[in-house]
Every structure is written in structure tokens, then in C-alpha cells.
Amino acid sequence: MSPTYDVIVIGLGGMGSAAAHHLSARGARVLGLEKFGPVHNRGSSHGGSRITRQSYFEDSAYVPLLLRAYELYDDLERATGRDIATLCGGVMLGLPDSRTVAGSLSSAREWDLPHEMLDAKEIRRRFPTLAPKDDEVALYERRAGFLRPENTVAAHLQLATQQGADLHFDEPMSRWEPYRDGVRVHTAENTYTAGQLVFCPGAWAPQLLADLRVPLSIERQVMYWFQPKRGTDPVLPAHHPVYIWENRAGVHVYGFPAIDGPDGGAKVAFFHKGEVTTPETIDRTVHEDEIRAMADHLSGCVPDLPGTLLKGVTCMFSNTADEHFVIARHPAHPESVTVACGFSGHGFKFVPVVGEILADLALTGATRHPIGLFDPARLIDTVLPH
């Protein structure tokens, strides 16, 4: 049996890599186990970019965590020299009473976040690539922008390794059980013991955390990169913000500038419009009818974009019934197991602060951060919406 660790982290994607970093930074002896290789593209922490923002329409309770995440992203860039966050500005668009607009405005006002409200005419003037209808408005947030997920994961893995963490790739956990005052974890290669276990399983949560009794739906998502019709200059970050756009039917599309220059195209995606899947059965082919549906949608709101499709890539959302996270000590194993799952397609911007929270919970059993919204008790044995 291998040496005893203080903490074993299962999954080294976004949340797990951050947890391994924060735990090892505090002097904990950390083992990280990952099913695939480092910075892989089989789960949810890939695709070149993720939106970050502070005027959070999902719930204003997220804002303190976002403010801390921004600080930690700055720390991560300084510590590793990697390109992590670019604040090119962002707009939340829709009708004035839409969740996207009204919720963003409510959070901005509650937390006194800098923002501007723009009518359709002003949106078109500032951002000529966007074509809102006359009755649509936007909340503009200067400190919104995009994160680079692969660089973020690589940076956290780099720091964790430098701090002494043992990170094992291509070594999935097969099972675990309580053992003495901690846990014992089995893989095909070895058996490990530790005082604490931290689960960051992403789309594999339904299998690995079945005893949590929190229903999770794994949703296939498609990301598209289009070459603009008029060339790339209009959608470079200097001219084109990140955006989340809710139409009258409640359909969300979100997008980015051409963050990698003229040949990279501009990335767009629908939000929560995919079919239920599993990590083992997901269809990773992007089909022609999907491409047409996205191009048709864009033609009415970002008419420069439905030009040539450069590529399409799939990923997965792990959705809870209310689309809020699960971050807590495991109710059935509160002395030794911490869980983080169900990030419902909007979790990546929280990666560094979730890592900090998981380190708190694993090492002390509590955290100063407000995580009451993420208590799994609210979801136990609930029924997922169809």
C-alpha cells in the first residue's frame, strides 16, 4: 500500500486542479487522480474560452465568490506567467424584463458593481457587430471578459506539482471506502489511503457520487467557431464584447470575440439546448442541422458571424434541478469527504475560488465563503425537469 496522504483529489479538471493547488499550497500532502491525461478535452474544461462576469443574473449570492475569483485569477497569472483572463467587456442582452437583463441589473445594483444600461441604438453604435431589436436593451459590464480554460487548468496543475502534490494521470479511481479515520481509494495500479477525499468528477458525478442522492443530468453541448462574413477585424476583442443574449422565447446564445486573431474565428454556442447524454455515449460529431440552426439564429442578432464554420466541438454540462452548484461536505460522510459537482454550464469562472473553498472544507470542515446556496440537501431525491 502506498504512503498515506492528507487529501486525495478525484478529478483534475477545472475544480480538481484548483483544489490540488490550494491544498498543496497550505502544506497538505496531496494525491490527485485523473481518468485522462493533463488538460484533456473529454470533459468540460476545454474549448479555448469561458465567459467571466460579475453582474450575475443567476443569483446575486454568487457575486462575493466572483469578486474573490477575480483576485485569484490575477494571482494565478502572476504566479505562472500564463494568459488566463482578458477583460474585454461584456453585454447581457434581451428584453428589459428578461432574466438575463433584469437579473444582471439586480446583482449590479445590490453589490454596487460598475455597469451601464444601453438601449438598442447605443448597443448598435458601440458594438456594430450586434443587431438588437428596437425594444431590446443590454447591461454593459466593463470588467466582463473571457478566461482560457486550458491555461487555467495547466496553471493550477503546474503550481500543485511545484508545491509537492503527486498528480497521477490516466489512473481513474475504481472504488473507495471509509478506512480507519479516513478513506481508502483503489485504482487498477494501487491502493491509497488519506485522511480526506475531495470529489471533482465533472460529468462522471452520477456514477461516482450516486450515494449523494442528488440527481444530475449530463447535457451534450456544442461550441462553434465561425469566420465572419466581412473579415475578422470587426469581431476582434478591441471592437466586440463577450455577450449573453436571451431572445423572446427564452433561448440563450453566448459568444466571444475572435480571441486568437484573424484565423481563429469567433466562438458561439447555445446555452442549455442540448440532449441528455453520458460521458460514455456522447455524440462528438457536430451535425449539419446543428450548424444550420446556429447560423440561422446568429443571422438575426450577430449578422456578421454566420459565415464559414471553422470548427465545432462538443463538451458536457452537469446540471442540477435548479442549476445551482453542489459544494459541501458529503452528507453521508461528513468527516472525510467533500464534493463539488453540478456546475450546470456556468461554473468555470468560479474555478479558483471553488478550489479555495474545497481546501477549506477538506482541511477545516468549514469555509468563510458563502456557500449555503450549494447545500446538496436542497436537491436530495428531487426530480429533474424534462
Side-chain angles (χ1 to χ4, degrees), residues 50-56 70 85-92 114-115 139-147 237 240-244 255-257 349:
R50 292 291 186 274
I51 288 177
T52 190
R53 53 196 165 92
Q54 295 180 349
S55 300
Y56 218 60
Y70 270 52
T86 300
L87 302 183
C88 61
V91 285
M92 309 301 117
H115 68 281
L139 180 141
Y140 172 69
E141 182 181 331
R142 182 179 57 81
R143 286 184 56 75
F146 59 88
L147 306 165
H240 186 73
V242 298
Y243 57 92
I244 300 176
F256 301 79
K349 61 185 71 65

Side-chain angles (χ1 to χ4, degrees), residues 156-188:
H156 281 133
L157 295 176
Q158 173 189 331
L159 293 179
T161 300
Q162 291 172 355
Q163 292 153 184
D166 291 336
L167 306 181
H168 294 193
F169 297 97
D170 300 303
E171 187 177 349
M173 182 192 76
S174 55
R175 62 187 176 90
W176 77 276
E177 70 263 353
Y179 179 73
R180 297 179 180 171
D181 293 330
V183 298
R184 184 160 56 186
V185 172
H186 303 270
T187 74

Side-chain angles (χ1 to χ4, degrees), residues 248-261:
R248 285 162 170 74
V251 175
H252 287 80
V253 67
Y254 63 95
F256 301 79
I259 67 175
D260 292 314

